[in-house]
Structures are given as C-alpha cells and as structure tokens.
Amino acid sequence: MEERNKTLGEFIIEKQEDFKYSSGELSRLINSIRLAAKVVNYKVNQAGLVDITGAFGAQNIQGEDQQKLDVFANDTFMETLINREIVCGIASEENDDFITIKGKDECHNNKYVVLMDPLDGSSNIDVNVSVGTIFSIYRRVTPIGTPVTIDDFLQPGDAQVAAGYVIYGTSTMLVYTTGHGVNGFTLNPAIGTFYLSHPNMQFPKDGTIYSVNEGNYVHFPQGVKDYLKYCQREEENRPYTSRYIGSLVADIHRNMIKGGVYLYPTSSKAPNGKLRLLYECNPMAFIAEQAGGKASDGFGRIMEIKPTELHQRVPFFCGSYNMVNKAEEFMAKYV
Ligand code: P6P
C-alpha cells in the first residue's frame, strides 16, 4: 500500500514489530489517544456554536483559569485511558496530583504511565486560534502490580517510550514518535479516520523563523536579548521572520515543517520559564530530536533534566538544530 494512504490504525499495527516483545499495550494506548483526540476535535470545532467556550469558573494548580474546553479535554482523555485500563497512572496539567488507575482486582499490571497537557494554548479557543494536546509515555519504574508512585512520573525525558501531540488547526493532525522517527497523521473528518500525511517528518537543520513573546523582551536574559538582535540584524539571510501564535504545538509544528526556533526563556514574570518540563517540554523535545532538531533549556538537553516536581517549569529552546545551537552560543557568553 502506498505510504500516504495508510491509516493510523494500519500504521500502528505495522510498527508493532518495532517493539519485538511488546504485548500490544503501547499500540492500544496510542489507539486510545487517537479516539480521545477525535472526541476533543469534535468539541473544539463546535466551540463557537455550543456553550463550551469561556472560563470554567475554576483555576488549575498553575493558578490558570480553566477554560470549559480544558476541563472537557482533560475529562475525555482521562476517561478514555481509565476505562480501557491500559495505563497504571496518569498525570495532567489540569490535575494537582497524579491519578493511580485501579485494575478490576486492584492490580496494576499495566506498565505505562501517561503525562499530558490535554488542551495546550486553550486561551486561544475563544479567538479561534489553533490549540493542541500534548502527551508523553513512560514505562513505570516501580514494581508492576503495585500502585504507581511519583517516581514513575519524575523520569528524565530520555526515558520516554513515546510522545506526541494533536494539533486542532485548519486540519487536525496527530504527530507522534516511539523513538523510530516522527510521523504525522491528518484526520479526515468526514469518516473520522487519521491518514498518514507526513511520513518521517524532519526538522530542517536551519530556518529563518523565530517564535518568542517579544513583549517579555526587557525581562529576558542578556543572552536571549543578544540572540534576538542577531535574528533581526540585516546580515546574511537575516533578518529572520518573527512568527508567534502563542500556542506551543502550533508554533513548533509550523517550525518543524518550515524550519525555525521556538523560545520560552526565563523572565522576571517566569523565573524558571513558563512551560512545564514533564508534559510540554519533554514530549516536544522527543519529537524535535527524533526529527533531527534540538531541544534545550538554553544550556543543555531538555531530556537530560532529572525532574523534581510534577509541574516544574523550565526555559525552552526548541527547533532547527543550528538555530538552537546559535541561541545557546549567545547564552554561553553570560555563564
Ligand atoms: P505567553 C499556552 O498557554 C502556552 O503554554 C504555550 O502553548 C504557548 O507557547 C505559551 O504558553 C504562550 O505564553 O506568555 O507568550 O502567552
């Protein structure tokens, strides 16, 4: 069968071989994410028509006003994963603590945990701008058959088994990796099927797009200020183009296709950066590196960071390999 006509379901079965001794659990897990993504996609696309936009009237642990769609997306992914008893634990941006999945006989024989941002960029929903779901999958490190502990979630990004995102944009795509490259699937909404539309996605080594909230410029570290001035100088193939959607998944997805770098540095408002290590930076870093790009905190690989807290934040520089390298060069001048 021609690659591009392959459905996500067929692709998952075919790639099952990548996991020689797999019990099919990971395939079932990715299939359940596919199902939940379709349900959320349906609601996101209705946002302007039904009472599903606007604030939910509560705040999450981050102190952010939960949007109704945030809660809907979180409930949808949680229920889909819990009802299928495919994982032994789940952590979400929307939940203060991780959830332990109890099996029928209270056992926890599943070996995977999932961390996710069910609807990233949700402040964009009311203005009809792309939003996304981000997920990260690890093998548990505590004994199978026991309740999960925080140690199962506080693993460095290099230990990820799989990671990916759903972008609810002009079309809805699911992009994921299991450590064997990155593949993108586009949803045909007429029949509710994801088709392989972007096989073997590659981050261009170079690019001419930089994505940052320049409104925070005065608060950035000097290395970032110097890098941004470098991007804007009339030299060689510069000035670059500034493109910032304010939705991590959308900005990185565009940069992966066109070439570019996304920066969320520290600032006085976000002394550790804004993005969360476990369910935003690590999964996007896994995708970026598998596609030949780079993901850094400005000094070293994101996926080498040993997490200390579930919702910890880190500075995030992610995109075309040579562009992240150049940003790190400017950062290194001030160490
Ligand atoms: P700012 C959305 O809230 C998010 O987590 C990312 O999706 C996005 O890139 C970033 O924050 C936008 O943050 O401070 O520029 O509005």
Side-chain angles (χ1 to χ4, degrees), residues 4 44 60 149-150 154-155 166 168 181 272 275 321 326 331 333:
R4 283 181 181 280
V44 166
N60 61 19
T149 73
I150 188 65
L154 299 184
Q155 299 185 54
V166 183
Y168 309 98
N272 295 317
L275 300 185
Y321 194 88
K326 179 58 79 175
M331 294 297 284
K333 290 178 181 163

Side-chain angles (χ1 to χ4, degrees), residues 120-121 213 216 244 246-248 251 262 264 274-276 280:
D120 181 72
N213 182 342
N216 298 327
Y244 191 67
S247 182
L248 174 69
D251 278 315
Y262 170 96
Y264 209 104
K274 174 182 182 184
L275 300 185
R276 276 57 57 127
E280 289 173 322

Side-chain angles (χ1 to χ4, degrees), residues 208 210 212-215 217 220 224-242 263 330:
T208 57
Y210 69 96
V212 68
N213 182 342
E214 302 204 49
Y217 178 84
F220 286 154
V224 172
K225 290 179 177 174
D226 291 355
Y227 176 62
L228 295 181
K229 288 307 164 207
Y230 167 85
C231 293
Q232 294 158 359
R233 247 194 312 276
E234 195 97 43
E235 277 170 5
E236 298 164 339
N237 61 343
R238 288 171 279 126
Y240 293 153
T241 295
S242 174
L263 312 169
F330 283 98

Side-chain angles (χ1 to χ4, degrees), residues 182 201-205 287-294 319-322:
V182 178
M201 296 180 80
Q202 289 294 310
F203 242 117
K205 282 286 175 275
I287 291 270
E289 289 197 3
Q290 282 288 312
K294 190 167 185 179
S320 292
Y321 194 88
N322 295 342

Side-chain angles (χ1 to χ4, degrees), residues 125-158:
I125 293 163
D126 293 358
V127 295
N128 204 8
V129 167
S130 301
V131 291
T133 295
I134 310 170
F135 61 91
S136 174
I137 300 170
Y138 290 85
R139 235 176 240 99
R140 69 179 298 176
V141 293
T142 53
I144 285 196
T146 64
V148 289
T149 73
I150 188 65
D151 295 336
D152 293 307
F153 297 92
L154 299 184
Q155 299 185 54
D158 273 333

